[in-house]
C-alpha cells in the first residue's frame, strides 16, 4: 500500500500550526518513533492574509498561488492526506483544486469533517460559530453544515473586534489570565449549547483555559480535532492492510 503520509500546510499562524502538529503526534501513540506516520509541515507564514483577501480582494491571486504551490509540494513528497491548518483558507479550496486537480481526494476539509462529526454524535439543530470575520462573512460554514442539517449562528459584527483580539493574542503568543477569563465570558454569552471554534488559534485559548481550571458549560467543537479523528482511523486501516 501507499505509505500514509500527512502533509500540514500551516503558518496561518505559526503557533496554531505548532499546536496542531503536537496534537497530531499525540494522536498516534507509539513505543517506537517509526510506528507513527510521516508528517510533513510547511510553516508557510509568508502567505498573504486570508481575511484581507476575502474582505478587500487583496493579493487573492497570490494567496491561491501560494496555497496551490504548497499543496503540489506535499503531493510530490508523497502526502496521502493534506490539511490546510487554517479555517479561512478553505474559502479558496475550490480555486486550489482547480489548479491542482489531483489534490481533491487528498485534501481533508476540516470544516466538513467537523459538521460530519457533530451530526454523527447526534448533534445538530444549531451551533454558534466563533471565527474570523472573513470566515463568517463568506458563510462557508453555513453552506457546508447545511448538508448535515445544522444551522450556523454567528456573532454580531460588533463582536468581530474582540474575536480578532483573541486570535491576535495567540498569534503574538501573549496569553494571560485576563485574556482567558474574557474568552470564557465571551463563549458563555452564546445561547447555543454547541460552539464551533472556527479559527485554529481559538482551541489554544480553550486548552489554556482548561489548564488554568477555567471550565465551560458548553460543548466545544474543534474542526482540527475532527480531522485528527478521521486520520487516526484511516491510519489504523492502513496498518491493518499493510
Amino acid at each position: 500500500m501507499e505509505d500514509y503520509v500527512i502533509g500540514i500546510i500551516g503558518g496561518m499562524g505559526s503557533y496554531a500550526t505548532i499546536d496542531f502538529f503536537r496534537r497530531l503526534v499525540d494522536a498516534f501513540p507509539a513505543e517506537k518513533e517509526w510506528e507513527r506516520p510521516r508528517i510533513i509541515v510547511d510553516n508557510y507564514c509568508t502567505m498573504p492574509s486570508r481575511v484581507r483577501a476575502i474582505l478587500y480582494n487583496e493579493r487573492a491571486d497570490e494567496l491561491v498561488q501560494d496555497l496551490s504551490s504548497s499543496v503540489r509540494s506535499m503531493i510530490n513528497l508523497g502526502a496521502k492526506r493534506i490539511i490546510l491548518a487554517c479555517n479561512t483558507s478553505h474559502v479558496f479550496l475550490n480555486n486550489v483544486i482547480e489548479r491542482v486537480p489531483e489534490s481533491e481526494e487528498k485534501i481533508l476539509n476540516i470544516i466538513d469533517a467537523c459538521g460530519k462529526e457533530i451530526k454523527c454524535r447526534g448533534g445538530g439543530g444549531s451551533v454558534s460559530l466563533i471565527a474570523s470575520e472573513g470566515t463568517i462573512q463568506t458563510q462557508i460554514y453555513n453552506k457546508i453544515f447545511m448538508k448535515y442539517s445544522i444551522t450556523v449562528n454567528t456573532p454580531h459584527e460588533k463582536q468581530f473586534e474582540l474575536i480578532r483580539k483573541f486570535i491576535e493574542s495567540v498569534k503574538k503568543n501573549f496569553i494571560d489570565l485576563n485574556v482567558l477569563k474574557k474568552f470564557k465570558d465571551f463563549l458563555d454569552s452564546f445561547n447555543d449549547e454547541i460552539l464551533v471554534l472556527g479559527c485554529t488559534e481559538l482551541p489554544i485559548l480553550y486548552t489554556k483555559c482548561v489548564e488554568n481550571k477555567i471550565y465551560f458549560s458548553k460543548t466545544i467543537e474543534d474542526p482540527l480535532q475532527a480531522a485528527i479523528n478521521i486520520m487516526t482511523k484511516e491510519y489504523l486501516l492502513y496498518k491493518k492492510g499493510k
Side-chain angles (χ1 to χ4, degrees), residues 97-127:
I97 291 171
E98 283 180 8
R99 296 193 183 203
V100 192
E102 62 271 31
S103 69
E104 185 168 10
E105 294 182 354
K106 297 180 182 293
I107 295 176
L108 202 170
N109 187 316
I110 66 173
I111 300 175
D112 186 78
C114 184
K116 187 181 298 182
E117 184 162 290
I118 292 172
K119 187 68 174 179
C120 287
R121 285 209 299 262
S126 67
V127 302

Side-chain angles (χ1 to χ4, degrees), residues 16-226:
T17 302
I18 292 168
D19 180 67
F20 177 56
F21 177 62
R22 177 190 58 76
R23 290 162 58 194
L24 190 55
V25 171
D26 288 346
F28 298 99
E31 292 186 10
K32 303 295 183 182
E33 195 66 47
W34 55 80
E35 293 174 351
R36 295 188 175 93
R38 179 184 177 189
I39 302 173
I40 305 164
V41 181
D42 183 356
N43 194 61
Y44 207 153
C45 53
T46 56
M47 256 187 244
S49 165
R50 281 66 57 201
V51 173
R52 294 188 68 84
I54 291 167
L55 298 181
Y56 313 114
N57 198 33
E58 181 181 288
R59 301 172 68 190
D61 289 341
E62 183 182 344
L63 172 60
V64 172
Q65 177 57 41
D66 287 350
L67 286 168
S68 301
S69 174
S70 186
V71 166
R72 190 175 289 108
S73 296
M74 291 294 180
I75 293 174
N76 291 339
L77 288 168
K80 181 180 178 65
R81 272 298 184 198
I82 299 172
I83 302 293
L84 305 183
C86 167
N87 286 261
T88 315
S89 67
H90 285 69
V91 173
F92 304 93
L93 187 53
N94 288 338
N95 304 89
V96 171
I97 291 171
E98 283 180 8
R99 296 193 183 203
V100 192
E102 62 271 31
S103 69
E104 185 168 10
E105 294 182 354
K106 297 180 182 293
I107 295 176
L108 202 170
N109 187 316
I110 66 173
I111 300 175
D112 186 78
C114 184
K116 187 181 298 182
E117 184 162 290
I118 292 172
K119 187 68 174 179
C120 287
R121 285 209 299 262
S126 67
V127 302
S128 286
L129 171 67
I130 319 300
S132 71
E133 57 195 283
T135 299
I136 291 170
Q137 290 190 9
T138 62
Q139 297 193 332
I140 185 171
Y141 266 89
N142 308 60
K143 296 167 187 173
I144 292 177
F145 275 31
M146 190 182 300
K147 294 192 305 182
Y148 302 106
S149 302
I150 300 172
T151 300
V152 177
N153 297 315
T154 56
H156 192 275
E157 285 186 17
K158 293 179 180 179
Q159 297 174 304
F160 287 174
E161 183 179 356
L162 181 56
I163 296 173
R164 199 179 308 122
K165 287 181 179 178
F166 289 138
I167 293 170
E168 286 300 318
S169 71
V170 177
K171 288 182 179 291
K172 295 175 182 177
N173 196 28
F174 182 78
I175 304 171
D176 59 15
L177 276 176
N178 184 51
V179 170
L180 297 181
K181 289 175 181 177
K182 284 183 178 179
F183 184 63
K184 175 199 163 34
D185 291 342
F186 181 66
L187 294 194
D188 283 345
S189 70
F190 290 88
N191 293 325
D192 286 306
E193 289 304 312
I194 299 177
L195 306 183
V196 176
L197 301 183
C199 177
T200 51
E201 273 78 26
L202 299 181
I204 296 177
L205 287 180
Y206 174 73
T207 299
K208 292 288 186 184
C209 283
V210 173
E211 289 174 353
N212 283 276
K213 302 188 185 320
I214 300 172
Y215 301 113
F216 300 82
S217 59
K218 309 283 187 179
T219 299
I220 304 297
E221 297 288 349
D222 173 10
L224 283 178
Q225 185 59 49

